[in-house]
Each structure stands twice: as C-alpha cells, then as structure tokens.
Amino acid sequence: MPLILSRRQWLAGVAGAMGGVGFAASTTAAVRRAFTVEPELVTVTRHHVGGSDPAAPVLRVVQLTDLHLDSIGAHEERVAAAVAAHRPDVIVFTGDSIDDDGRVGVLGEFLDLLDGRTRKFAVVGDGERGAGIDVRELGRVYAKRGCELLINDVADLSVGGRRVLVTGLDDLVRGTADPARALVGSEPTPNHLLLAHSPAQRDAIRWERVTPAATARIADGPEVDLAPYRPQWMLSGHTHGGQIAPFGLAPFRPRGSGRYVS
C-alpha cells in the first residue's frame, strides 16, 4: 500500500522562484515591488498528495528549488529557518541551486544552515549545466553536508517500514536525462518519488518498455521495463511560476517548462 507523501513546502528562492512575480507594465509601484520586494519574500505552500489511509505513514518533504544562490544573507537565513520550522523528514533540491562555478562554496554555506541530520537529495538544473560546474565537486559539497546528488541515479528511503525509491534525473534541457540508466538494477516499489528540474520531463518519459535504441545507452546493460517504476510523485522547479505573470497569465516560460507554469 502506498504511503502518503506530504509535500509540506515549496519555498521561493530568489527572483520570486516558483512563486510567480506579479507585474503591471504601467504601474511603477508594481515594477519597483517586483525588483525590490518580491526577491526577498519567502513563500511557503503546502500540498498533501497520496492516499487517504489514516494508518499510512506520512513522508514530510521540503522542496527547495531555483535558489540561484549568490551569497548568504538575511534572506537565505529566513529560508533555512522556514525549513527547520516544518521539521521535514527529507529535503530535496530540484536544481539551479547555483548558476555560477564560483558559487559552489556559497552553496556549502547555505547547506550548513540546515539540519545535518535530515536526509537530503539534490539534482542539477540547466543553471548548473549551463555554467559548466564540475558535478564531481558539486557532489562533494553536497555529500559533506549529508546530501546525495542524484544524476540519473536512485536512492532508497525507509518510512514507517515502507520503502521509498527516490530517482534523480539529469537536466532535460542541458543535460542527458536517462531514466533507464537511473533505474536499471533497482527494485520497483509502490512508493516512487521522481526529482527532475524541468517539469516537461514528466511528459517526455514513456513509462513502458524502452526501445532498443534507448537501451543501447545503458552500457551493455539489460533492457529496462519502465512500467513498474511509474512514479507516484514528481517534484520539479525551473518555471519560476511564469516569472512575469500579468493578470495571472504567464506569456514567457523557460524552455523545458512544457505545459506547466508552476
């Protein structure tokens, strides 16, 4: 029986990440707010997904996405405090934590603000890939703070005696996302959480037996039937809630957003 995933937080990073920035071209005050107030806001949304079985264990997940860290200040400390206030079982970083190869140390400083005992997972986004950041160095910084960087890889969690499979994919836009490579050799489970920076990844995967051409990318490995691994939950970032959304409309979204605004 699947457990219940409670995605307790979706925290905005900088520039209104995932929260959407209201904008009115003819209103100076709105423009000023978009560039001076909104970037410093910490927006928390709570989502409860999964079954209704009251006996099922609950997994509390805090998602941090598109932080685009530049330095550590009062805003970043407020984000860390908000994370701690919700006492998560797991913290996930869904890409674009940094977008400059000189900011790897800043990411480490931010991770130091979080509880080192909490299980953490991370994936990369187009920001990390576009900046040419050394993923090995990035992985070491994450690992030193108890966070596993998953790039076409999987990890296991145990929640209330039930197994949760966590899959992290490479970036769809600037990386090489490969679910078959990630899942080969792992055991299917009714509780599967997929982490991918770009939400269009959800529609790009065909959760059925992969084609021989796709299988060839798994170095001499077996064919992978993706059907048993269909995830119950997927968490992404990237869209910034439309970034500029006048009257609730999002005329521009970055490539990789697909049909999703937030």
Side-chain angles (χ1 to χ4, degrees):
M1 178 181 298
L3 56 79
I4 298 173
L5 173 71
S6 177
R7 196 187 71 173
R8 298 297 301 275
Q9 290 187 319
W10 195 317
L11 295 181
V14 296
M18 303 310 299
V21 178
F23 179 76
S26 62
T27 306
T28 303
V31 174
R32 183 167 59 248
R33 176 180 173 83
F35 286 93
T36 61
V37 178
E38 298 279 3
E40 295 302 315
L41 295 179
V42 177
T43 302
V44 179
T45 64
R46 297 170 177 83
H47 306 267
H48 185 280
V49 296
S52 58
D53 178 7
V58 174
L59 176 63
R60 290 176 298 170
V61 176
V62 166
Q63 178 188 13
L64 295 171
T65 195
D66 295 79
L67 293 171
H68 295 280
L69 292 168
D70 182 66
S71 60
I72 302 301
H75 174 68
E76 289 71 26
E77 291 173 353
R78 288 196 298 272
V79 171
V83 172
H86 284 77
R87 297 179 288 111
D89 301 308
V90 178
I91 301 171
V92 299
F93 297 81
T94 48
D96 282 9
S97 295
I98 54 174
D99 52 19
D100 186 301
D101 60 2
R103 299 290 184 263
V104 177
V106 176
L107 174 60
E109 293 177 40
F110 178 77
L111 291 167
D112 287 337
L113 298 176
L114 305 177
D115 190 336
R117 298 166 296 179
T118 304
R119 193 84 181 267
K120 304 177 187 68
F121 302 101
V123 296
V124 295
D126 60 308
E128 285 97 350
R129 283 303 193 189
I133 294 171
D134 186 340
V135 294
R136 291 172 297 182
E137 180 184 2
L138 190 65
R140 286 192 291 268
V141 169
Y142 274 125
K144 187 176 179 181
R145 280 83 176 180
C147 181
E148 298 176 56
L149 179 60
L150 302 176
I151 302 178
N152 296 327
D153 206 353
V154 298
D156 280 332
L157 280 173
S158 179
V159 181
R162 304 184 192 188
R163 175 173 170 258
V164 178
L165 180 67
V166 181
T167 299
L169 297 181
D170 199 355
D171 179 56
L172 176 69
V173 177
R174 292 183 172 177
T176 307
D178 191 341
R181 183 183 295 276
L183 293 164
V184 64
S186 63
E187 289 294 323
T189 172
N191 299 299
H192 183 190
L193 170 62
L194 178 65
L195 306 176
H197 178 66
S198 298
Q201 183 71 73
R202 179 174 187 262
D203 300 322
I205 301 173
R206 298 179 61 190
W207 294 100
E208 56 193 38
R209 188 172 296 277
V210 297
T211 65
T215 305
R217 291 189 287 115
I218 307 172
D220 300 320
E223 183 178 353
V224 178
D225 181 2
L226 294 181
Y229 296 95
R230 183 183 297 275
Q232 280 65 51
W233 320 293
M234 175 174 167
L235 296 178
S236 297
H238 188 57
T239 65
H240 290 241
Q243 189 68 34
I244 302 298
F247 310 108
L249 302 176
F252 170 77
R253 285 165 291 158
R255 186 164 64 96
S257 298
R259 58 193 173 98
Y260 305 96
V261 175
S262 61

